[in-house]
Structures are given as structure tokens and as C-alpha cells.
Amino acid sequence: MKNTPAILIATTLVSTALTPLALAAGHGSQKVIGQTTALIAEAVLPTLVNAQSERDLKDGESANTDFPFAEFKAIATVGEVDAKSGLALTGYPDGQAAWLADDETVRVVYQSESYATMGKAPQPETYPWAMMNGVTFTGSHIHTIDYDRAKFASFMSH
Amino acid sequence: MVKGSGKLFHTVYNGFGEVVSSPTHDPSRLDGKWGNQTRPDGTLIQFKPDFKLSQADYFFQSFCGAWYEQANKYGEGMGFADDVWLTAEEWEIGRMFPAGSSDSAATLGLASLVVDIANETAYTVPALGQTGYEKLMPINSGHKDYVVIVAAGYNHGQEPAPNRIYVGIKNRAADGSEINYATANQRDAFLARNGLLYGKI
């Protein structure tokens, strides 16, 4: 096993049943954050390999993962929801970073590209991001995801 | 493994230096505005019917590249004074308005933002310009009094477009004078100690 696994926040939707918990319109998923293991990223486009490779693609599963320089594991996927709040992770993930929120917690932060009513999806607006005074914003969100530090380290090395 | 999730900030200031509150058409109420559809005189420009928001009061246009930077990155007193997250609303949103890019050009613009991570507060930074940057990237100024940020963005039809670099001076009020922290409000104090209240591009 390679010693430098990379992490990935997948950038497309999870194709499972719709649920009222997923407060992002069109981001339907009953999966909670971190539950999805399939990768969106592909090592090579199947159309560049052969027709059989394209036919072997299965919805919700990884495609070709024979990455030459790294291994990838999903730590969060757009459309997954917070187990308590039901709020979904919105896409498309762009700028991101991570730091220690405290000695036991790794905080991963990413911001989503979203274009509100300029988006192409049938319901392109994201769910309202509520500020402390009640004002709401649709469009881009900046998500924080907290991970148990020890479990995160184990996840990354196994 | 996952302990929970949330949002990076819960308070946001607009380009007028006000905490954004419930939207209003009253031009004198600068708090009830967000810059991407507001003129400098406080008047609101409605989006075309097809682009009217249905889910929220306002919208953050696409946040593209981000930059997380810890305080004193380049040594004691060097760089930002606080842990910050830099981001910006990218592109140009003229097609949302009745008069297209003429309307969007008349607004305060697409926000350049800095987030005070510790206090979960986002501030629009007027000194950086509000022009739909793709990414704001600090570099080492090599001096305790200055911060330097490369502001990368779009050409908007100008070819070639110049590289834009912001040089901010710490502890200055918006007019360039030395700030008095004893009387400055929270927003001005935060921006000033991070070199983001006064500077030049």
C-alpha cells in the first residue's frame, strides 16, 4: 500500500432515494456524511479505453481507480447529510483546507461553487444558509466537517 | 469518524460595513443589502423574473478559490493578526439583471471576503475591490506593517489584463490615518489589524 493516500471530497451527487432530510434541493441522499465510499474521480475516462469499459460502469460505484501517483478515499460526498441537522453538503466543492479545531478534532472546510438561479439544475438554488440574525443566503456555502482525529488518522493509513 | 458539520460563519458584513439584516427597498437602510444587487447609493436592483431568488433573502455567488492562513504565518507580527479564510464571489452576473452588465456594473460588485474564523464572522473587504475575483492569495510582505495579496480573477474582456496585487497597511483607518482602536468598531478593528481596511491595488 502506498504511504501517501490522498483525500477527496467527491463532486457529484449520490444516486440514492430522495429524502426530506436533504435540505438541498436536488441533493437527495439518505446517506450521512462520510458514508459514501465510491469515488467520483476516475483514473481514466472509460470512453478512452473501450466500449466494454464504459458498459462496466455501475451507478454509485467507483470507476477506474488505478491512479498512478496516489490513492484516494472519500471523506465526504456532496448530497450526504449531517446526521443531526439533516443539512446537506452542497456542491461543487472548490477551495478547501483543514486544521485542528482542538487536540482531538480535525476540521475540514470547503466552499461550494453554486450559482443560485443561474445554475443549470432543475432546482438550482441551495437551501438557505441562516445567519445568527435570521438572514438567509442561498448560493455558495462554506461547510465545516469535524472528524475524530485518531479515527481520521487510522482511516487515512488503512 | 465524523463528529458533525456546520458552516464557517454565522454573521456577515456587507460593503457598507453593516451586518447584513433583512432585505429592504429603503435606500437609507444600508444594512438590508448585499452588494451583488445594490448600488452604492443603497438602491436595490431587482433580478429578472427568471432569476429571482426563492430560497433565501440573498445569495452568495459562486465561491471559487479559498485561502486559509494562520495568524503570524511569517513570524511574530508578520502576516495577518488573526486566523483567516479569504474568498470571493467570482465571475460576473449581468445576465441576472434587466439591463445586463450595465446593471451589474452599477452595483457594489461581487464581494471579496475575509472570515474571522475564531468569531465565525465574515467581512466584505472594500479595499480589495469587488470585481469577481477567483482567488485571493497572500504572500509574505517581509515587513510587519504590510500585508500583500495577489488578487487573481477574470479579464472581463480586457486582453491582456494586468496582474493585480494588493498592498495593505496595518493599523490604518479607511482614510489612511492611524486607527484608534479604543473607538473603532469591531469591523474596522478586525480589518485594520489585518491590513485590510486601508491599502492599494
Side-chain angles (χ1 to χ4, degrees), chain A residues 82 94-95 105 111 113-114 117-118 125 127-129 132-133 135-138 140-142 144 146-148, chain B residues 1 3-8 10 20-21 51-52 54-60 62-64 85 87 90 95:
Chain A
D82 183 282
D94 206 302
T105 307
Q111 58 189 31
E113 280 200 11
S114 179
T117 50
M118 288 188 295
E125 291 180 75
Y127 64 87
W129 174 1
M132 200 160 53
N133 63 1
V135 164
T136 56
F137 283 75
T138 182
S140 287
H141 290 228
I142 307 181
T144 64
D146 287 348
Y147 298 88
D148 180 278
Chain B
M1 183 172 76
K3 300 171 81 170
S5 70
K7 299 298 190 310
L8 189 63
H10 298 92
V20 179
S21 62
F51 293 100
K52 288 192 75 167
S54 65
Q55 298 295 312
D57 300 317
Y58 308 97
F59 91 105
F60 292 125
S62 179
F63 289 148
C64 191
W85 178 278
T87 187
E90 67 168 341
R95 67 191 179 101

Side-chain angles (χ1 to χ4, degrees), chain A residues 5 7 11 14 25 43 45 48 65 71 82 89 92 96 112 116 130 137:
Chain A
I7 57 175
T11 60
V14 179
L45 291 175
L48 298 179
T65 58
E71 292 184 7
D82 183 282
L89 299 178
Y92 308 95
Q96 53 194 272
S112 65
F137 283 75

Side-chain angles (χ1 to χ4, degrees), chain A residues 50-66:
Chain A
N50 55 47
Q52 183 61 45
S53 180
E54 189 169 9
R55 284 195 295 273
D56 288 343
L57 285 177
K58 293 180 180 175
D59 194 21
E61 295 185 10
S62 297
N64 188 325
T65 58
D66 189 20

Side-chain angles (χ1 to χ4, degrees), chain B residues 113-124:
Chain B
L113 292 164
V114 60
V115 180
D116 175 358
I117 292 173
N119 292 297
E120 301 182 351
T121 299
Y123 298 95
T124 300

Side-chain angles (χ1 to χ4, degrees), chain A residues 25-102:
Chain A
H27 290 174
S29 167
Q30 288 183 318
K31 293 186 176 179
V32 296
I33 297 171
Q35 187 175 346
T36 303
T37 58
L39 300 181
I40 302 301
E42 300 175 35
V44 63
L45 291 175
T47 51
L48 298 179
V49 181
N50 55 47
Q52 183 61 45
S53 180
E54 189 169 9
R55 284 195 295 273
D56 288 343
L57 285 177
K58 293 180 180 175
D59 194 21
E61 295 185 10
S62 297
N64 188 325
T65 58
D66 189 20
F67 299 102
F69 302 113
E71 292 184 7
F72 293 83
K73 299 174 79 173
I75 59 171
T77 299
V78 167
E80 291 178 332
V81 299
D82 183 282
K84 290 181 181 174
S85 69
L87 294 174
L89 299 178
T90 64
Y92 308 95
D94 206 302
Q96 53 194 272
W99 57 84
L100 290 176
D102 56 47

Side-chain angles (χ1 to χ4, degrees), chain B residues 22-99:
Chain B
S22 297
T24 171
H25 291 280
D26 181 352
S28 69
R29 286 280 309 283
L30 300 180
D31 58 326
K33 304 292 186 323
W34 184 241
N36 64 17
Q37 63 174 135
T38 305
R39 298 184 183 92
D41 64 2
T43 55
L44 194 70
I45 308 178
Q46 294 282 9
F47 296 130
K48 290 191 291 191
D50 286 352
F51 293 100
K52 288 192 75 167
L53 305 179
S54 65
Q55 298 295 312
D57 300 317
Y58 308 97
F59 91 105
F60 292 125
Q61 163 59 7
S62 179
F63 289 148
C64 191
W67 190 271
Y68 163 65
E69 186 152 311
Q70 292 176 294
N72 302 307
K73 178 176 179 179
Y74 308 108
E76 190 58 37
M78 301 276 281
F80 295 120
D82 297 90
D83 293 348
V84 301
W85 178 278
L86 289 164
T87 187
E89 297 178 295
E90 67 168 341
W91 289 356
E92 201 281 327
I93 61 170
R95 67 191 179 101
M96 296 182 75
F97 296 105

